[in-house]
Amino acid sequence: MQDCIFCKIVAGDIPSKMIYEDDDVYAFEDVTPQAPSHTLIIPKKHIETLLEIGDEHRDLMGSIILAATRIARKLGIAEKGYRIVTNCNKEGGQVVFHIHFHLLGGRQMKWPPG
């Protein structure tokens, strides 16, 4: 998608601090971190919201979760614990309409989250 900031990051048009990349997934440091470790994990394919996910995306969703586990280990937050968060649509807190998952760690998480 032409105007999508995350598509521009994947294309290399906007710089990012890459943490992880494979054929389907790109992960990078969040520019406004909400925890000591805050990585955004996105599919390289543009999908606006979770509502667009269908059976054809099963492998992609699995790849995203596997990437999150690999990243948590790489960043040293796996053993103590981490949180994966995604938002869907405006009231769910989604700001960028390209699905993405926040991998947060490095501190005690609170509940309820907000």
Side-chain angles (χ1 to χ4, degrees), residues 39-54:
T39 302
L40 294 177
I41 306 168
I42 64 172
K44 289 182 175 180
K45 176 182 178 181
H46 182 84
I47 303 169
E48 285 196 15
T49 74
L50 287 175
L51 296 172
E52 293 179 25
I53 298 297

Side-chain angles (χ1 to χ4, degrees), residues 49-69:
T49 74
L50 287 175
L51 296 172
E52 293 179 25
I53 298 297
D55 288 338
E56 68 274 19
H57 299 106
R58 284 178 197 231
D59 289 342
L60 176 61
M61 294 291 92
S63 293
I64 288 169
I65 297 302
L66 289 171
T69 301

Side-chain angles (χ1 to χ4, degrees), residues 5 17 20 28 31 35-36 52 60-62 65 75 77 84 112:
I5 190 169
K17 185 170 180 191
Y20 175 88
F28 56 99
V31 295
E52 293 179 25
L60 176 61
M61 294 291 92
I65 297 302
L75 297 177
I77 61 172
I84 301 171

Side-chain angles (χ1 to χ4, degrees), residues 2-114:
Q2 220 172 18
D3 293 332
C4 174
I5 190 169
F6 288 170
C7 287
K8 290 178 181 178
I9 289 171
V10 169
D13 298 334
I14 295 175
S16 66
K17 185 170 180 191
M18 192 264 295
I19 301 293
Y20 175 88
E21 182 175 21
D22 64 28
D23 291 342
D24 299 314
V25 176
Y26 186 80
F28 56 99
E29 277 188 7
D30 193 303
V31 295
T32 56
Q34 302 301 304
S37 180
H38 188 166
T39 302
L40 294 177
I41 306 168
I42 64 172
K44 289 182 175 180
K45 176 182 178 181
H46 182 84
I47 303 169
E48 285 196 15
T49 74
L50 287 175
L51 296 172
E52 293 179 25
I53 298 297
D55 288 338
E56 68 274 19
H57 299 106
R58 284 178 197 231
D59 289 342
L60 176 61
M61 294 291 92
S63 293
I64 288 169
I65 297 302
L66 289 171
T69 301
R70 290 179 182 128
I71 295 163
R73 286 186 177 123
K74 175 182 176 180
L75 297 177
I77 61 172
E79 295 306 315
K80 285 191 172 184
Y82 57 93
R83 181 173 286 170
I84 301 171
V85 177
T86 190
N87 305 314
C88 185
N89 280 330
K90 255 186 183 178
E91 285 193 22
Q94 188 173 4
V95 177
V96 177
F97 284 81
H98 180 128
I99 63 169
H100 55 285
F101 299 80
H102 301 260
L103 175 64
L104 303 153
R107 67 168 167 82
Q108 178 66 53
M109 298 292 143
K110 297 179 182 176
W111 196 261

